[in-house]
Each structure stands twice: as C-alpha cells, then as structure tokens.
Amino acid sequence: MNKDIPHYLSGKDKLLKQVIETIPAPEIISTKNVFHDLMSCILEQQIHYRSTKKTLKKMLLAADLTLLTPANFEQFEELGLRDKKLSSQKCETLEQVVDFFEHNAPHWEQLSDEEVRAILVKKKGISNWTADMILIYTLERDNILPLDDYHLKQLMNSLYKVQGKKAMRAVGEHWAPYQAWAVKYLFAWKEFHKKQ
C-alpha cells in the first residue's frame, strides 16, 4: 500500500481516521489468480482471504494442489470435490467458469474496472459482489466500493448510521480514489475488535 493512502483517507473522514489510528494497516497478499479466486468465491460464497470456513483449503489439500488453474481443475474435481454435494446451480457456475478460462485468457491487469466487471457478471451465478471481491482482493484495484457486501452494510450502519446503497455511496465518495482501502480498513477494524 502507498504510505500516503492512510494519510489521505484520514484527512477525508474523521471517523475513518480514528479507525486507521486504532489498528495496524491491512496486509493482504493477493494470489493475482482470477480463476483460483473466482472458484473460491463460488465454493465458499466469500473471498478466500476473509474465509473462516477454509472449505477451499481442505479441498485443495485433498487434491494435492495449492492453486487452482483450468489445467488442474479435473484433478481438483476428481479428488477435492469427490465427496462434496454441490447444488446443480453451483456446478453449472463452476463449469461455465472453467469453460470460459479454457477458451479465453483476458489480460486482467490491462482491463478497466468496468471491463472486468462486465466479463465476470455475464457468467450465471457470478454477482456484482463477486466481481467487487475479485477487483479488490485479486486485482488490487484502489477505488471499488462493494455496496452489496453484507459486512460493509453492517459497518456503515453501525459506524456511519446510514442504510441503503445511495447513502453508502455518499459516504464512500469521500474516500475516492481509495474506496477499496477504506473498506479494507473497516473490515480489518471489525476483525481486530472481534479478537479483543
């Protein structure tokens, strides 16, 4: 993270300034692997960085893999998913994603946020929330505000006393162009206080 970001956000939002001063800076190591992280989102219904279920980790261990790719997905399916009962909808989404990556190789880093989102949400079962998580955590885009995130809604309500996307967006506008970093700080603050 650019060391100027916390200073910038602190100057834009007094409440966020208190959050930033209370906790260590969020440190998240990205896989940079859109396929792997999409599979994580689909299988766990949350991005693996914040997962508490460790479902994907256990599946990968069973398949003797560390990172999912289209090339090793058959092995993962045979060994990691062997005893798992997935819904037909989830299976269909997994198949669509595998098929897309087998026939396409987007240069994700070169695409705009809007282009990335447009590609992802075309797939059945992939929502705006999933696209936001990929943009924030996998591609490490700075200015994403995940308005559909349950935890962010809770935090905005408890800290800022706002509800609804319009009000959340109004708060988030003060964080631009580092909305994603503000969100990461808020999530880190929540985790920090859960451990206290």
Side-chain angles (χ1 to χ4, degrees):
M1 173 177 52
N2 181 325
K3 63 182 181 181
D4 294 331
I5 293 175
H7 178 73
Y8 176 88
L9 291 171
S10 294
K12 292 288 184 177
D13 184 327
K14 290 180 181 178
L15 200 155
L16 190 59
K17 181 176 188 281
Q18 293 175 10
V19 168
I20 290 169
E21 290 174 348
T22 303
I23 60 169
E27 288 186 28
I28 299 164
I29 300 170
S30 172
T31 64
K32 305 283 188 184
N33 186 310
V34 174
F35 179 81
H36 177 92
D37 290 346
L38 264 180
M39 288 301 182
S40 175
C41 282
I42 295 162
L43 290 165
E44 301 199 34
Q45 294 305 307
Q46 58 184 325
I47 196 76
H48 70 104
Y49 304 109
R50 291 164 47 215
S51 173
T52 54
K53 294 184 288 187
K54 307 295 181 191
T55 306
L56 182 64
K57 189 175 180 180
K58 291 172 188 172
M59 291 176 178
L60 288 169
L61 193 62
D64 196 26
L65 298 169
T66 54
L67 198 70
L68 271 179
T69 66
N72 67 27
F73 185 76
E74 192 173 328
Q75 177 181 336
F76 175 76
E77 194 172 27
E78 183 181 337
L79 300 174
L81 296 178
R82 182 169 46 195
D83 302 321
K84 303 295 181 286
K85 293 182 180 178
L86 303 178
S87 68
S88 57
Q89 184 178 353
K90 193 167 285 195
C91 288
E92 186 181 346
T93 302
L94 291 173
E95 288 170 10
Q96 279 189 28
V97 171
V98 172
D99 183 65
F100 174 80
F101 277 85
E102 284 178 341
H103 296 94
N104 299 275
H107 296 285
W108 299 103
E109 298 292 343
Q110 297 173 17
L111 299 176
S112 70
D113 298 341
E114 293 73 21
E115 288 169 332
V116 170
R117 187 184 306 282
I119 291 171
L120 295 179
V121 299
K122 277 182 184 174
K123 313 291 172 288
K124 184 179 178 182
I126 296 180
S127 64
N128 276 320
W129 176 84
T130 303
D132 284 341
M133 296 300 105
I134 295 298
L135 285 163
I136 293 172
Y137 291 101
T138 308
L139 299 176
E140 299 181 298
R141 301 295 172 87
D142 288 332
N143 203 34
I144 304 297
L145 185 65
L147 295 170
D148 292 324
D149 188 89
Y150 172 76
H151 300 287
L152 183 61
K153 289 177 183 177
Q154 279 192 322
L155 286 161
M156 291 285 233
N157 186 17
S158 62
L159 296 175
Y160 292 90
K161 311 303 180 195
V162 298
Q163 289 184 342
K165 291 183 181 181
K166 186 176 180 181
M168 289 170 66
R169 191 177 286 112
V171 172
E173 284 174 1
H174 298 290
W175 304 334
Y178 301 117
Q179 292 181 102
W181 281 104
V183 171
K184 288 177 185 178
Y185 266 108
L186 291 174
F187 288 162
W189 181 85
K190 182 178 180 180
E191 288 301 311
F192 179 81
H193 283 282
K194 274 170 65 175
K195 295 173 183 175
Q196 299 305 305

